[in-house]
Structures are given as C-alpha cells and as structure tokens.
Amino acid sequence: MSSASLSVVPIFATPLAVAELPASLQANQAVAQLLMEYAAANPVAAAASDPLCYRSRDDLLEWNDALVHQTCGEILRGVWSTVAAVNSFTPEQLKSLSMQARGSFAIVQPNGSIPATSHSLTSWCGIYCVEAPQPAAERSDSGVVRLYESRLTTMFADATNSVMRVPFTAGHYSWRAVPGQLAVFPGSLTHEIPLIRAAGRLTLISVRARFVGPGQEGWSRW
Amino acid sequence: MVSPVLKLSPMFAVPVLQTRMEGCERLNSELEALFLERESPEYRNPTPSHHPQAETFESRFNLFRWPEPCVQALRQFMLDAVGRAVIQTSTVTPEELSRLRFQNHTWFHITRYAGSFVAHNHPLASWSAVYCVRAGQAVPEHPQSGLLRFFDPRHGAQAYLDPANAQLQAPFALRPLEYRLEAGDLVIFPSYLFHEVAPFYGADVRITVASNCWFA
C-alpha cells in the first residue's frame, strides 16, 4: 500500500444542516399543545385521513399565534443561515434575495409513519422537531427522519465499496429528530418518517422555501 | 392548432412484469404452513443487509434449495416467469437463455403488525421477483398497509411541476408505482429499481417470497 499523501474529497455532496434553536426549544411544550388542539379541532378529510398521523395544511406561516410565529421565524432564519453557509453570496447579495415559504406540521403517533415524499418547486426543506418519542431499542429507525440515497450509485457491490464511511456510504441517511433541533436539506431530497415504535408522539414543523433574486420573475404564489 | 402526426415514445422505460399463478390456493396453504413452522433462528437470515425488525422475519437466501414439493413447484413457476421476462424484454432468444447459467437467491418474509421493509434495491443481480403467498388483512383505515411500492428512478424529474406535467398519464406519471399484492401474484422487475414494503397493519400475517436472479 502506498504511503503517498492522499487527498480524499467528497464530490457531489448533499448538504444537510442541523441547528439548535434554543428559544424555540423553550416554547416546544406550549407549541405542541397548540398543534394538538388545532389537529383535534380541524380533522383531515376522511379520504386523506390517517388515524395515526395528522398532517396539517401548509398555512402554518400565516397563523397569528405568537409562539408559532416565533418558532417559524427561527426555522426560517435557520434556512437563511443554511443558504448563506452553502453558497458564496456576499452579505449584500444575500440581502437582495426574497424568500417564499410554506409551513405545515405533522403529529405522528406510535405505529404511525409518513411515506416518502419530496417537494416540487422548492429549493430547501426545513424540519423542526417539537417533540419526539424515546428511541426504541428494537427498532433503530423509530423517531428518525430518513433521507433517501440520491446518488446514482453503482449496482456493483464488493467487500470495499459497500462498507464505506460517511459521507461516502451508499444508502439512506437518518437524522434522529431531537426537540429543539432543525434540519435543513434540499427540497428535492426524498425523505420519510419511518414507523414510530415507541411511546410518545413525533411532532414536526416543516417548511419548504425558495428564493427569488433581484430581477428574477419568480413563481406564482404557493 | 396544427395536428401533425405525433409519435410518442416511452424512453428509458423500466420493465415491470406481472403474472399470476392460477389455482394457487393449495400450494400457498402448504407454503404458509411450512414457512410458519420454520420461522425460527435456525432458518433466519444470519446476515441481513438492513436493520432487522422483530415484526418481519427474513429467512436464509437458500429457499429454492429446499426439497419440499411446494417449494420446488414455486421455484419452477417463479424462475420460469423470470426467464420469460428476460426473453420478452431483451434480444436473448430462448435457445441462448437455455445455455446461460441461471442463479438465484430466494427467501421468504413473514410480516406482522407494524412490520415494513425500507426502500432498497439489489446489487449484483439483474432481475428480482416477489411472489405473494398470503396478502394479509386489508385494513380500510390504512389503505397503504403492506403495499409494495416502487420508486420512480427519474430522480429530480418532479422538481419542477406545473399544470402541464403534474398530471401525466402512465407510463409518464411522476410518482411511485404501488402494488397491492394478492395471493398468487408475481411481480418481476429490474434489480436496480428501489422498492419498499409499506408498514403492514393487518392483525394476521403477510407472507411473500422474493428472489434475486443473475445469469452467466
């Protein structure tokens, strides 16, 4: 084996930003209660109803409640920070962008799940954890957000390319939802909530966002 | 609008083949009894490729080496169908196919309430097949229970949707393909295609046999 200096570079990488939102964390209990009450008062139409998972309309950013407004504001700032971190914008360029965003929430009960989805017409997706179930010893993916493998990986596997380390691992990536944490990733990335196999709910706030630069036409309103 | 002749072609298409074993009730009943009897550590896959679930039993991959007549009858049905799939979708002739060495890994799954199988594909195989021994209870409040779901391999194709591409008809539709298997159904597909089994909510069991095939 050669001892020459070797530079290993992750190419074609997908950004995943994780941030702690301390102010939102403090409000989580109250926000969770608010969302539960809303869900109880606004049942989903029977055809789309899932008794183990409530998925709201995407009008959360238009709510007037102060706590929800504060939490969503922090989430959107987290998306802005992600955009700043992964691009080469100057502060002036960043300021010149305008964000369009939609927000919703989901409450997943034990034995509930959300099938894989991705967002069209969306550049960034943010998922904030309001409350999470305990990890389940016998089901390691309970309580995670699973981000799907998106590379055109080879169908040829041998003893060396099937066990590579992160970020080169071929396969899905799991982000364990922790109350007070926000994950931001590209909106095109397919993701799902695997079945919850522990006591406690998983309550998540999701935003999908896109940005319009000066002089760009943008899109019609969501 | 001028109406010239328009030739519409499905490019980069993925072949999925479906067939059904007629009169499968007795065979399935024998398979079910055999599999349930052997749902034990001795027959469990000792090297699962994914995190195993308590609710889903996966057997060793040598199922088609079992000598029991019901297993051999299923082997004949499944592998014959895979061979027909190769002939129907490729330029390989029956004579050429008969000269190839046909290999497989085949196993069974027994899935109980809350069992599922994460999205995956099968490296080092060309064709995969799933046969349904027992569908398990349909659960009206969980219409996606136990679905076999194939993911659209046209990554990113749905990133920009407007009214002109949001409602494309099959085979152009930009969405996963879902199958609710009934006992006796067989689905054959290219092994590269990502697929999953949605959480099963029946109070009984869902039993399937899966096979990965490769030729040399």
Side-chain angles (χ1 to χ4, degrees):
Chain A
M1 202 162 55
S2 165
S3 58
S5 172
L6 194 66
S7 172
V8 180
V9 179
I11 56 173
F12 309 126
T14 301
L16 169 67
V18 177
E20 305 273 351
L21 306 185
S24 294
L25 176 63
Q26 289 188 347
N28 271 356
Q29 200 172 352
V31 170
Q33 183 64 29
L34 204 64
L35 300 182
M36 282 287 289
E37 289 169 5
Y38 178 90
N42 298 274
V44 176
S49 171
D50 179 340
L52 299 177
C53 177
Y54 180 87
R55 298 166 79 177
S56 80
R57 297 189 309 179
D58 66 350
D59 59 359
L60 190 64
L61 302 182
E62 292 153 27
W63 286 24
N64 287 322
D65 181 88
L67 283 178
V68 170
H69 193 74
Q70 171 197 305
T71 299
C72 290
E74 276 212 273
I75 294 170
L76 295 180
R77 281 191 287 279
V79 175
W80 274 106
S81 298
T82 304
V83 169
V86 299
N87 285 287
S88 52
F89 294 125
T90 64
E92 291 70 31
Q93 287 172 323
L94 202 59
K95 272 186 200 166
S96 72
L97 302 178
S98 64
M99 176 196 264
Q100 300 176 343
R102 303 296 291 169
S104 62
F105 71 89
I107 302 173
V108 189
Q109 305 286 351
N111 292 326
S113 64
I114 297 181
T117 188
S118 64
H119 301 297
S120 58
L121 298 171
T122 300
S123 56
W124 297 97
C125 178
I127 296 182
Y128 173 74
C129 180
V130 179
E131 56 181 351
Q134 290 297 312
E138 72 284 3
R139 188 96 159 216
S140 59
D141 61 358
S142 175
V144 309
V145 176
R146 180 180 287 133
L147 306 167
Y148 273 39
E149 168 67 81
S150 61
R151 292 164 293 178
L152 298 171
T153 49
T154 176
M155 277 285 288
F156 183 79
D158 70 9
T160 61
N161 74 353
S162 57
V163 290
M164 287 193 289
R165 299 190 302 265
V166 174
F168 308 108
T169 318
H172 309 312
Y173 184 88
S174 292
W175 172 66
R176 177 160 296 285
V178 175
Q181 280 193 358
L182 167 72
V184 182
F185 52 87
S188 60
L189 193 60
T190 302
H191 54 285
E192 69 176 356
I193 309 296
L195 189 128
I196 306 291
R197 207 59 172 146
R201 294 180 297 265
L202 177 63
T203 300
L204 301 171
I205 292 177
S206 298
V207 299
R208 53 198 174 100
R210 61 194 186 198
F211 295 79
V212 182
Q216 292 181 338
E217 193 172 310
W219 302 270
S220 57
R221 189 177 177 282
W222 267 326
Chain B
M1 190 166 64
V2 183
S3 302
V5 174
L6 199 64
K7 186 183 175 195
L8 185 61
S9 304
M11 298 196 307
F12 310 123
V14 178
V16 176
L17 300 97
Q18 293 174 266
T19 186
R20 186 174 165 69
M21 182 190 284
E22 297 303 333
C24 59
E25 292 78 12
R26 183 173 169 181
L27 179 76
N28 284 346
S29 170
E30 292 174 7
L31 290 168
E32 179 179 336
L34 182 65
F35 295 163
L36 290 172
E37 179 193 317
R38 296 186 179 177
E39 187 185 11
S40 65
E42 180 185 356
Y43 291 96
R44 185 188 297 277
N45 178 6
T47 54
S49 56
H50 299 85
H51 291 296
Q53 297 175 350
E55 301 85 355
T56 301
F57 178 89
E58 180 173 273
S59 77
R60 292 173 183 266
F61 283 7
N62 62 353
L63 177 63
F64 278 170
R65 290 188 190 160
W66 293 12
E68 285 77 5
C70 59
V71 172
Q72 288 307 307
L74 180 64
R75 178 183 185 279
Q76 176 80 34
F77 174 71
M78 286 182 70
L79 298 190
D80 179 62
V82 171
R84 286 163 47 209
V86 172
I87 290 167
Q88 281 191 33
T89 58
S90 73
T91 58
V92 173
T93 66
E95 294 70 34
E96 289 170 332
L97 185 70
S98 69
R99 290 196 292 271
L100 298 179
R101 192 165 164 217
F102 189 161
Q103 303 188 82
N104 72 87
H105 280 160
T106 303
W107 64 97
F108 66 86
H109 276 165
I110 299 174
T111 306
R112 291 187 164 76
Y113 183 90
S116 63
F117 208 96
V118 65
H120 65 287
N121 65 3
H122 299 286
L124 299 178
S126 54
W127 291 92
S128 295
V130 177
Y131 175 79
C132 182
V133 176
R134 179 180 174 132
Q137 284 178 341
V139 184
E141 62 268 34
H142 292 290
Q144 301 192 349
S145 170
L147 285 181
L148 176 60
R149 180 177 291 129
F150 293 100
F151 290 92
D152 191 334
R154 297 165 295 174
H155 296 292
Q158 83 289 17
Y160 184 79
L161 289 185
D162 66 14
N165 70 351
Q167 298 177 58
L168 294 174
Q169 303 175 64
F172 308 106
L174 300 167
R175 59 169 179 263
L177 200 58
E178 295 174 336
Y179 288 90
R180 176 168 303 290
L181 298 181
E182 298 296 336
D185 286 348
L186 174 67
V187 180
I188 301 168
F189 54 95
S191 302
Y192 63 77
L193 192 61
F194 270 80
H195 55 286
E196 69 171 357
V197 177
F200 175 64
Y201 289 102
D204 57 351
V205 291
R206 176 185 186 275
I207 302 176
T208 54
V209 171
S211 190
N212 287 338
C213 302
W214 66 99
F215 300 77

